[in-house]
Amino acid sequence: MTDVPPRVIVVLTDQQRWDTTGAHGNPAGVTPEFDRLAREGTLVERAITPNPVCAPARSALQTGRWPTSTGVFRNGLPLPADTPTLASVLGAAGYVTGYIGKWHLAGEASPDGPVPPGLRGGYGHWLASDRLEFTSDAHRTVVFDEDGEPVRLPGYRSDALVDAAIRFVADHHDRPFLLFLSLLEPHHQNATDDYPAPAGYRERYEGRWLPPDLAALSPTAPQGGAHRHLGGYLGQIKRVDEGVGRLRDALRSLGIEDDTVLAWTADHGSHFRTRNSEYKRSAHDASVRVPWVLTGPGFRGGGLVRQPVSTVDLMPTLVEAVGLDVPEGVQGRSLLPLVGGGADPDRPESVLVQISEDQVGRAVRTERWKYVVSAPPGADPWREAAAGLYRETELYDLAADPYELENLVGLASHRGVADGLRDALAEWLLRVEGAGPVIEAAPSRSLDQRRPEPFPDGRVPWEGVRFGHHR
């Protein structure tokens, strides 16, 4: 241990589903390093992105504010320079700050060129590209340095960025630093609609794992769906996992592993074109549920956080973990009260999801239920951040249907459940957006024998009935 404040590293993957990790039950052995972090540190079991689109999710990760509050409710919008960020807060406290990889928060100023200094979210050391998928391929990575000069990084893309991260850690190991390592993998290569893994890695995972939602829906998905892509997707994640292991080896070698908070999460997931015409932008867990693990000071041995939480909580969690005050206006909540089995009585039982670009939508997710509303036809999801009118479109029982294959919206038997979730959503929208939109109920329908609770309470006695082994 040293008297240096905790160092902080964030590893961000792009488009990684929560169920790709062994800690979440994946049987393919893809993520031994993530799983080790989960055993040693704190695993967030149900981590939900605030918006299943790159830029909005990333704006929330950097600021602790919902995308509609930062103004970055869709791709192509810049993060306002005057918004407090993780980097600006830690930088003001004397931290060296560094950003490596994909940014996607510069708007349209220079989407495939260098990010202007004023649009870098307060980070000092810089080796990044705004849209890395358009300035690189799997083995040819070009990023831009602090001076806006292009830099060529040899090797497989995630390896090249991890190598740069290790160099940053080595150069600043003797003082407090914040390093944000933003990888592109396992995002597809847009030009070829492919998931290029290192040689031999795709083959290792072809046919190894197919979750129920993709097994049920991929046969009708356009452009091949998950059957075409999943081997490469998992191969990319495997290489990332190995890279995080190398990064942790570097921390261990430098004697700072125990003094470093390390968080690994993703901006959003992927449904592989099974819910709409592309990979995300839906309220399903395949899009919105992501892996999230933390270790280091404050999180070592923290166990499992079972309550659904939003990744908008990342920024305040890390700020509080290093002993600093969370800035005024931050809407996320620190996870520290939940670590080690603790409680946060004022934390809502649900989380909010804002959906843009494909629809103007909103959702709330609890441990058991998912409730989704969307603005009616005519709303412009590219120009309109919110709507004054929403209509119920989806309701899922995640206990009985965890992969959301049966939409229960409109069932008269579930009206009470939907009403409670509608109230929870209305509270979120008032608190986060300052809005009170109209939410119209879905047309009522019935389904024989269907009820929210499986036991026929009221028709079959339970309390006071003798046990079977009593006479």
Side-chain angles (χ1 to χ4, degrees), residues 4-5 17 21 70 123 154 164 188 273 314 322 337 340 354 369 384 389 431 438 442:
V4 175
R17 294 168 60 112
T21 75
T70 66
Y123 286 93
H188 57 291
R273 292 198 171 99
L314 175 74
V322 300
Q354 299 175 331
W369 299 101
E384 298 175 23
L389 170 65
R431 182 166 62 250
V438 174

Side-chain angles (χ1 to χ4, degrees), residues 393-462:
T393 56
E394 295 164 84
L395 175 67
Y396 298 103
D397 181 349
L398 301 173
D401 179 26
Y403 282 91
E404 298 163 301
L405 295 172
E406 182 184 24
N407 187 357
L408 304 174
V409 73
L411 286 184
S413 56
H414 288 63
R415 187 66 258 165
V417 172
D419 286 345
L421 293 166
R422 180 172 59 185
D423 291 345
L425 176 59
E427 291 177 9
W428 271 111
L429 296 181
L430 182 61
R431 182 166 62 250
V432 169
E433 302 179 14
V438 174
I439 302 175
E440 291 184 351
S444 183
R445 61 190 178 99
S446 61
L447 194 59
D448 189 39
Q449 299 186 352
R450 196 57 61 90
R451 296 186 308 274
E453 301 302 329
F455 188 78
D457 193 31
R459 294 190 295 114
V460 177
W462 176 257

Side-chain angles (χ1 to χ4, degrees), residues 62-130:
Q62 297 296 335
T63 67
R65 301 173 186 233
W66 295 90
T68 52
S69 298
T70 66
V72 187
F73 71 91
R74 61 160 172 84
N75 286 338
L77 296 173
L79 184 66
D82 58 352
T83 302
T85 64
L86 180 62
S88 67
V89 173
L90 269 64
Y95 275 67
V96 178
T97 61
Y99 196 95
I100 296 172
K102 175 178 174 177
W103 180 238
H104 213 162
L105 288 171
E108 298 297 338
S110 184
D112 300 328
V115 175
L119 295 177
R120 295 177 186 171
Y123 286 93
H125 292 266
W126 187 263
L127 196 61
S129 174
D130 193 54

Side-chain angles (χ1 to χ4, degrees), residues 202-466:
R202 180 195 301 268
E203 296 80 359
R204 188 183 307 182
Y205 295 105
E206 292 281 10
R208 290 283 302 279
W209 172 76
L210 191 66
D213 60 322
L214 301 185
L217 303 173
S218 279
T220 59
Q223 298 167 241
H227 294 87
R228 171 186 170 189
H229 293 307
L230 207 52
Y233 179 79
L234 294 176
Q236 289 182 327
I237 295 171
K238 176 64 174 177
R239 189 63 159 235
V240 167
D241 190 78
E242 293 171 346
V244 175
R246 289 196 298 114
L247 179 57
R248 294 189 73 199
D249 284 343
L251 298 176
R252 194 171 300 122
S253 173
L254 294 165
I256 60 173
E257 181 184 22
D258 291 341
D259 306 312
T260 301
V261 175
L262 190 151
W264 177 350
T265 190
D267 55 355
H268 53 75
S270 175
H271 57 68
F272 291 91
R273 292 198 171 99
T274 58
R275 303 295 189 168
N276 55 37
S277 62
E278 47 88 73
Y279 290 101
K280 44 200 181 261
R281 298 178 178 88
S282 83
H284 303 91
D285 269 15
S287 290
V288 303
R289 189 174 172 186
V290 295
W292 187 5
V293 69
L294 305 105
T295 192
F299 303 101
R300 193 174 297 107
L304 192 65
V305 174
R306 296 185 179 275
Q307 181 175 350
V309 299
S310 173
T311 55
V312 75
D313 298 333
L314 175 74
M315 183 266 202
T317 297
L318 296 179
V319 169
E320 189 172 292
V322 300
L324 299 176
D325 294 330
V326 176
E328 185 178 350
V330 168
Q331 296 168 307
R333 297 175 69 92
S334 170
L335 293 187
L336 283 173
L338 302 179
V339 174
D344 183 357
D346 295 328
R347 177 180 283 270
E349 294 182 356
S350 63
V351 293
L352 170 69
V353 179
Q354 299 175 331
I355 309 164
S356 61
E357 297 194 7
D358 186 75
Q359 59 175 299
V360 182
R362 298 292 184 266
V364 286
R365 190 199 194 279
T366 69
E367 186 171 339
R368 180 176 177 184
W369 299 101
K370 174 81 64 63
Y371 174 80
V372 189
V373 302
S374 184
D380 187 341
W382 189 254
R383 293 181 174 84
E384 298 175 23
L389 170 65
Y390 294 99
R391 293 172 179 164
E392 296 177 342
T393 56
E394 295 164 84
L395 175 67
Y396 298 103
D397 181 349
L398 301 173
D401 179 26
Y403 282 91
E404 298 163 301
L405 295 172
E406 182 184 24
N407 187 357
L408 304 174
V409 73
L411 286 184
S413 56
H414 288 63
R415 187 66 258 165
V417 172
D419 286 345
L421 293 166
R422 180 172 59 185
D423 291 345
L425 176 59
E427 291 177 9
W428 271 111
L429 296 181
L430 182 61
R431 182 166 62 250
V432 169
E433 302 179 14
V438 174
I439 302 175
E440 291 184 351
S444 183
R445 61 190 178 99
S446 61
L447 194 59
D448 189 39
Q449 299 186 352
R450 196 57 61 90
R451 296 186 308 274
E453 301 302 329
F455 188 78
D457 193 31
R459 294 190 295 114
V460 177
W462 176 257
E463 295 297 335
V465 176
R466 69 178 177 84

Side-chain angles (χ1 to χ4, degrees), residues 24-191:
H24 287 98
N26 188 291
V30 182
T31 59
E33 192 65 32
F34 183 97
D35 305 339
R36 187 175 299 111
L37 288 165
R39 291 192 301 272
E40 296 173 359
T42 301
L43 175 67
V44 181
E45 186 176 35
R46 298 177 180 88
I48 308 298
T49 183
N51 188 313
V53 180
C54 288
R58 290 162 183 269
S59 74
L61 289 166
Q62 297 296 335
T63 67
R65 301 173 186 233
W66 295 90
T68 52
S69 298
T70 66
V72 187
F73 71 91
R74 61 160 172 84
N75 286 338
L77 296 173
L79 184 66
D82 58 352
T83 302
T85 64
L86 180 62
S88 67
V89 173
L90 269 64
Y95 275 67
V96 178
T97 61
Y99 196 95
I100 296 172
K102 175 178 174 177
W103 180 238
H104 213 162
L105 288 171
E108 298 297 338
S110 184
D112 300 328
V115 175
L119 295 177
R120 295 177 186 171
Y123 286 93
H125 292 266
W126 187 263
L127 196 61
S129 174
D130 193 54
R131 300 192 304 177
L132 185 59
E133 56 267 52
F134 296 109
T135 67
S136 66
D137 66 19
H139 290 91
R140 291 176 294 183
T141 301
V142 175
V143 288
F144 299 88
D145 65 13
E146 292 95 338
D147 299 323
E149 294 297 320
V151 176
R152 180 172 61 174
L153 300 180
Y156 183 71
R157 181 167 44 208
S158 65
D159 289 345
L161 296 174
V162 169
D163 290 345
I166 292 173
R167 292 192 291 270
F168 176 91
V169 167
D171 289 345
H172 304 95
H173 72 279
D174 57 349
R175 57 180 300 185
F177 64 75
L178 163 66
L179 171 61
F180 205 107
L181 174 59
S182 176
L183 304 172
L184 182 61
E185 282 72 23
H187 194 284
H188 57 291
Q189 194 74 45
N190 294 58

